[in-house]
Amino acid sequence: VSQNFSIYLAPFQGVTGFTFRSVYAKHFSGIDKFYTPFFTGIQNNLKLPARKLFELGAPLCEAIQVVPQILSKDAEEIIRFNTYCQSAGFIEVNWNLGCPFPQVADKKRGSGMLPYPEMVDEILSKVMLETSISFSIKCRLGYQTTGEIFELLPIFNKHSITELTVHARIGRQLYKGNTHNEVFGDVIPKVQVPLAYNGDIFSKTHFDIVQQQFPEIQSWMIGRGILYDPILPARIKGLPIPMNEKAAIRRFIDDLYFAYRKQMNDNLSVLSVLKEYWEYLSVSFCNPHQVFKKIKRTNNFDEYEDAVAAVFEQFEWKGSVGIMGSELE
Ligand SMILES: Cc1cc2nc3c(=O)[nH]c(=O)nc-3n(C[C@H](O)[C@H](O)[C@H](O)COP(=O)(O)O)c2cc1C
């Protein structure tokens, strides 16, 4: 099996924004591409508001390519976003056809568009005609059923999108239940553009199994597995691992804390953002529930700092070595 593969950090709205990516990239290795959480509401002028500009950041994050993502069913809006991103030096934009949340999907956006191939075709026709930036897609196997993707593949092929990332679930599953790897396997021979796999890679052991299942796949998008264990990409690629993992995680989480305080001018909502991330990070400690509880009940910066110190003193860091997805539930 080839070791010449890429790992992408999956986008997580509210978690993997500019500050997270910047701090992550300073501390850990193994990521080949970052995807931003999705952007929406791109107004009818090419000036993005300060907040969006900040979140887009720069085309490179510590020399790693950043791919902005758009969630939209409006070809004109996608064209505006592509035009902006191209002028700002990005080389690829990703279209979100995977978001499963009912408030999005019910309006035929995100994975809610997957049952409407003619709509996807119409939007792609306009976008590909008007813009020249590389345009990739992240989707699921369908919204209602895993069969929907097979109607879409000829459209993706026809428009020569740059890359297709498939999260091997359907929209109605949200993030639950098993991935449908047998259906992903049926997708492989029908795709004529580079194909990336996404879904439930939580450890090197687990990665090795899925890689053996799909030896043709060169690119792997990983989300929760990396949020749980930031060292996972290095483990998978056999890159150097910190001698003292727990100390490395501590340095990362402390840097992240100070970076958010700086970004958000010491506003207390820094704690909500960090708590959202700790819900993931706590999974790789012994007793995740107690770890998260300690962090969750903090109400000011002093309490948060004390709770973090207590967590690192009292709980063992396990990382993701050897775990399988089924052990996480
Ligand atoms: C809270 C949350 C926010 C997410 N935000 C996005 C997003 O903005 N764009 C996107 O394409 N996927 C988003 N996802 C999906 C992930 O990128 C990823 O596809 C999914 O978690 C499956 O991969 P994993 O099993 O490796 O985590 C989100 C998922 C969660 C749980």
Side-chain angles (χ1 to χ4, degrees):
V1 172
S2 155
Q3 285 299 309
N4 222 344
F5 56 82
S6 299
I7 296 180
Y8 306 154
L9 178 68
F12 277 67
Q13 195 64 245
V15 183
T16 65
F18 174 77
T19 300
F20 182 91
R21 297 191 301 272
S22 307
V23 177
Y24 182 92
K26 284 199 180 82
H27 285 259
F28 303 107
S29 55
I31 299 284
D32 297 286
K33 252 199 239 186
F34 284 115
Y35 286 74
T36 73
F38 65 74
F39 287 83
T40 55
I42 306 302
Q43 300 299 319
N44 202 0
N45 60 33
L46 285 178
K47 278 193 144 164
L48 297 190
R51 166 110 205 121
K52 284 198 171 83
L53 277 177
F54 176 83
E55 278 305 328
L56 265 173
L60 294 178
C61 172
E62 301 285 319
I64 300 163
Q65 190 190 335
V66 175
V67 180
Q69 188 188 60
I70 177 125
L71 175 81
S72 176
K73 61 172 178 183
D74 173 357
E76 300 305 320
E77 182 184 31
I78 299 172
I79 290 165
R80 285 197 294 276
F81 189 67
N82 285 4
T83 306
Y84 174 79
C85 290
Q86 189 162 21
S87 70
F90 292 92
I91 63 173
E92 176 184 339
V93 166
N94 183 262
W95 189 22
N96 180 324
L97 291 181
C99 184
F101 295 113
Q103 57 281 29
V104 167
D106 287 354
K107 296 184 195 131
K108 298 187 186 167
R109 299 196 303 160
S111 67
M113 204 189 296
L114 299 176
Y116 305 96
E118 63 296 335
M119 192 170 162
V120 173
D121 193 15
E122 197 186 316
I123 294 172
L124 274 178
S125 300
K126 289 184 183 155
V127 168
M128 300 312 260
L129 194 69
E130 293 287 328
T131 58
S132 57
I133 192 168
S134 294
F135 197 64
S136 60
I137 289 177
K138 176 162 179 259
C139 72
R140 293 186 176 223
L141 295 168
Y143 183 66
Q144 302 279 1
T145 73
T146 55
E148 288 163 21
I149 192 160
F150 296 99
E151 305 290 313
L152 293 158
L153 294 176
I155 296 166
F156 297 156
N157 290 336
K158 180 179 76 175
H159 291 289
S160 301
I161 60 166
T162 309
E163 183 166 45
L164 178 66
T165 302
V166 178
H167 176 192
R169 283 193 170 82
I170 56 169
R172 280 168 44 116
Q173 284 181 273
L174 301 174
Y175 296 96
K176 302 191 211 77
N178 292 328
T179 54
H180 301 281
N181 283 11
E182 69 299 344
V183 183
F184 184 87
D186 295 339
V187 165
I188 295 176
K190 301 195 163 69
V191 180
Q192 291 154 14
V193 301
L195 177 63
Y197 175 92
N198 172 234
D200 289 12
I201 291 174
F202 297 120
S203 66
K204 171 157 173 60
T205 316
H206 198 168
F207 174 83
D208 289 344
I209 291 169
V210 189
Q211 194 190 35
Q212 272 167 31
Q213 198 179 355
F214 305 126
E216 320 72 341
I217 296 298
Q218 299 291 314
S219 301
W220 304 85
M221 180 182 276
I222 305 178
R224 289 167 295 179
I226 296 174
L227 300 182
Y228 297 153
D229 175 11
I231 305 168
L232 180 59
R235 296 188 208 283
I236 289 177
K237 287 187 167 177
L239 298 172
I241 303 291
M243 289 280 279
N244 183 340
E245 291 190 17
K246 197 181 188 184
I249 296 296
R250 176 75 198 264
R251 286 193 298 272
F252 167 62
I253 201 74
D254 285 351
D255 259 14
L256 192 63
Y257 168 67
F258 289 114
Y260 278 130
R261 281 187 64 167
K262 195 169 166 197
Q263 179 208 327
M264 298 162 82
N265 284 318
D266 280 345
N267 189 296
L268 268 185
S269 55
V270 164
L271 294 186
S272 330
V273 177
L274 283 163
K275 285 174 191 177
E276 205 164 329
Y277 177 53
W278 268 101
E279 204 165 349
Y280 295 99
L281 187 64
S282 59
V283 170
S284 290
F285 285 85
C286 307
N287 212 330
H289 188 70
Q290 275 195 33
V291 168
F292 184 56
K293 217 169 80 186
K294 266 191 183 304
I295 303 288
K296 198 178 158 188
R297 63 175 177 224
T298 63
N299 294 309
N300 58 50
F301 294 138
D302 282 348
E303 283 177 18
Y304 174 83
E305 288 173 25
D306 290 348
V308 170
V311 162
F312 281 91
E313 238 170 68
Q314 295 166 18
F315 295 88
E316 192 193 329
W317 166 261
K318 298 183 296 150
S320 59
V321 179
I323 64 158
M324 291 295 293
S326 54
E327 295 164 31
L328 290 168
E329 300 307 323

